[in-house]
Amino acid sequence: MGKLYRRNLINSIGGYKSANLIGTKGPSGVNNLAVFFSIIHVGATPPLVGFLNRPTTVERHTYENIKSTGHFTINYIAEDFIQQAHQTSAKYPANVSEFDACELTPWFSPNCESPYVAESPVKIGLEYVEEYPIKANGTIFVIGVIKELFIPEQVIDEEGQIDLPALGTVAISGLNRYYKAERLAEFPFARP
Amino acid sequence: MGKLYRRNLINSIGGYKSANLIGTKGPSGVNNLAVFFSIIHVGATPPLVGFLNRPTTVERHTYENIKSTGHFTINYIAEDFIQQAHQTSAKYPANVSEFDACELTPWFSPNCESPYVAESPVKIGLEYVEEYPIKANGTIFVIGVIKELFIPEQVIDEEGQIDLPALGTVAISGLNRYYKAERLAEFPFARP
């Protein structure tokens, strides 16, 4: 296998993933933004989220900022700004804000210094909790706890489930292929 | 917030996730199978995959089997067997095979003792590499390395990308809502 072929195959073998932007506050106040496909639910009580940070890419700014400020935001990528969101994966210097470079709008809540993405239909504010350096390849598994959540109330049903297609949320596979989803089925809690 | 509402909200806030079955060989040879929504790509070279194991559910059989045998399989859930796949999340005793209980077919490769799901369009065979117990909530982040891969060759394009919709692969949100996806856009490697 060629190097690019192998990288694409092993990345896309992971199937559908959520597509998010992580917002952080950089050294001299720069509003940093980077696309992440490796965010997973870690637990509901306390509300924990984890993501994997590559050892050597633009994403390092995100990691350094989280370590220095102690907080970050997760913002859903939606259908109407996929291209701008994807562009944040370009390697901009630390003193350039991806918000400016990619034409996205920073938005702030009173309780969090890290920037949210105004265009994003779901905005999650988190505090850094802990991290695990992965021996096998030098990536870092970072865990945060949800402190606040901005989401249109009408897309949450009475059981607490979010209507993701109504929000225009997208999924991704590999490194650059985006999808919208259509609901197929829902099953009750399974019993033998 | 009520407990169920909160659990659903925090689970579904994670957005779209890949839906997979993990196959393992149990103590007295039982073919174990369990649904997992927390599998993520860890790296391409070596080809590493990680997943989060809950501390106290049926999924514990999976973890114990992986620790005792050193290997496991990941099998994509596809549209034509979602219901059987979801049913593997029921709490069956350790001596019952979810393959029998949920009407799925075990399949074996010459190089792996863990069972694959014959119905699954993509079958990945892995060896256990390492694990990280998460202090914040007692879950365990388990990492495996891909040893073999069974996938219809015609769905892999010349760049190594997999055509997931052509495979009937599904995504999930929350704990029980399944989706099919439709391709929206693809962007080249981003440069400033």
Side-chain angles (χ1 to χ4, degrees):
Chain A
M1 279 188 222
K3 196 181 160 191
L4 180 71
Y5 184 96
R6 180 198 174 92
R7 195 177 77 150
N8 282 333
L9 179 64
I10 301 300
N11 268 282
S12 62
I13 211 70
Y16 298 116
K17 304 173 280 193
S18 65
N20 294 283
L21 290 165
I22 293 189
T24 53
K25 183 63 91 177
S28 46
V30 174
N31 292 317
N32 184 271
L33 198 60
V35 72
F36 275 81
F37 313 139
S38 60
I39 297 176
I40 55 169
H41 170 81
V42 171
T45 313
L48 300 172
V49 171
F51 70 94
L52 205 71
N53 208 86
R54 308 248 152 265
T56 52
T57 67
V58 284
E59 296 168 357
R60 240 186 329 162
H61 295 160
T62 300
Y63 173 72
E64 285 160 9
N65 296 344
I66 292 174
K67 292 291 289 201
S68 105
T69 65
H71 44 75
F72 59 107
T73 72
I74 293 176
N75 308 268
Y76 278 23
I77 300 176
E79 203 173 330
D80 49 3
F81 64 96
I82 306 178
Q83 191 157 15
Q84 292 104 297
H86 186 77
Q87 184 58 30
T88 65
S89 63
K91 204 177 173 96
Y92 294 104
N95 64 344
V96 170
S97 169
E98 288 82 5
F99 283 95
D100 299 336
C102 307
E103 300 182 346
L104 290 164
T105 317
W107 176 83
F108 293 89
S109 94
N111 309 307
C112 179
E113 280 174 51
S114 291
Y116 290 97
V117 178
E119 288 80 356
S120 181
V122 176
K123 306 172 179 73
I124 309 169
L126 303 101
E127 258 175 28
Y128 171 89
V129 173
E130 53 179 345
E131 69 185 56
Y132 296 89
I134 305 300
K135 286 188 211 110
N137 73 345
T139 53
I140 303 164
F141 189 58
V142 176
I143 294 177
V145 61
I146 298 177
K147 302 305 283 186
E148 58 180 10
L149 178 59
F150 300 89
I151 180 170
E153 204 156 12
Q154 68 272 22
V155 301
I156 309 177
D157 73 15
E158 55 194 12
E159 291 185 330
Q161 290 250 36
I162 299 169
D163 186 346
L164 296 172
L167 290 166
T169 318
V170 301
I172 186 165
S173 76
L175 295 163
N176 62 351
R177 196 172 279 186
Y178 295 84
Y179 304 83
K180 67 175 173 182
E182 184 190 325
R183 211 163 132 182
L184 267 179
E186 186 165 331
F187 301 104
F189 183 80
R191 294 174 205 286
Chain B
M1 281 189 221
K3 194 181 160 192
L4 180 69
Y5 183 96
R6 178 197 176 91
R7 196 177 74 148
N8 282 333
L9 179 64
I10 301 300
N11 268 283
S12 62
I13 212 69
Y16 298 117
K17 303 172 281 193
S18 64
N20 294 285
L21 291 164
I22 293 187
T24 53
K25 184 63 89 177
S28 46
V30 174
N31 291 317
N32 185 272
L33 198 60
V35 74
F36 275 80
F37 313 138
S38 61
I39 297 176
I40 56 169
H41 170 80
V42 171
T45 314
L48 300 170
V49 171
F51 69 94
L52 205 70
N53 209 87
R54 308 249 151 265
T56 52
T57 64
V58 283
E59 295 166 358
R60 240 188 327 165
H61 295 160
T62 300
Y63 173 73
E64 286 159 7
N65 295 344
I66 291 174
K67 293 291 289 200
S68 103
T69 66
H71 45 75
F72 58 107
T73 73
I74 293 177
N75 307 269
Y76 278 22
I77 300 176
E79 203 173 332
D80 49 2
F81 64 96
I82 307 177
Q83 190 156 16
Q84 293 104 296
H86 186 77
Q87 183 61 28
T88 64
S89 62
K91 206 180 172 97
Y92 294 103
N95 65 344
V96 170
S97 168
E98 288 82 7
F99 283 94
D100 298 336
C102 307
E103 299 182 345
L104 289 164
T105 316
W107 176 84
F108 294 89
S109 94
N111 310 307
C112 179
E113 280 174 52
S114 291
Y116 289 98
V117 178
E119 288 81 357
S120 180
V122 176
K123 306 173 181 71
I124 308 168
L126 303 101
E127 257 175 30
Y128 171 88
V129 173
E130 52 179 347
E131 69 185 55
Y132 296 88
I134 306 300
K135 287 188 208 110
N137 73 346
T139 53
I140 303 164
F141 189 57
V142 176
I143 294 177
V145 61
I146 299 177
K147 302 305 282 185
E148 58 179 11
L149 177 60
F150 300 90
I151 179 168
E153 205 157 9
Q154 67 272 21
V155 302
I156 309 178
D157 72 16
E158 55 196 12
E159 292 185 331
Q161 291 250 35
I162 299 170
D163 186 347
L164 296 172
L167 290 166
T169 317
V170 300
I172 186 165
S173 76
L175 295 163
N176 62 352
R177 195 172 280 187
Y178 294 84
Y179 303 83
K180 66 176 172 182
E182 183 190 324
R183 213 165 132 180
L184 266 178
E186 186 165 331
F187 300 104
F189 183 81
R191 293 175 205 286

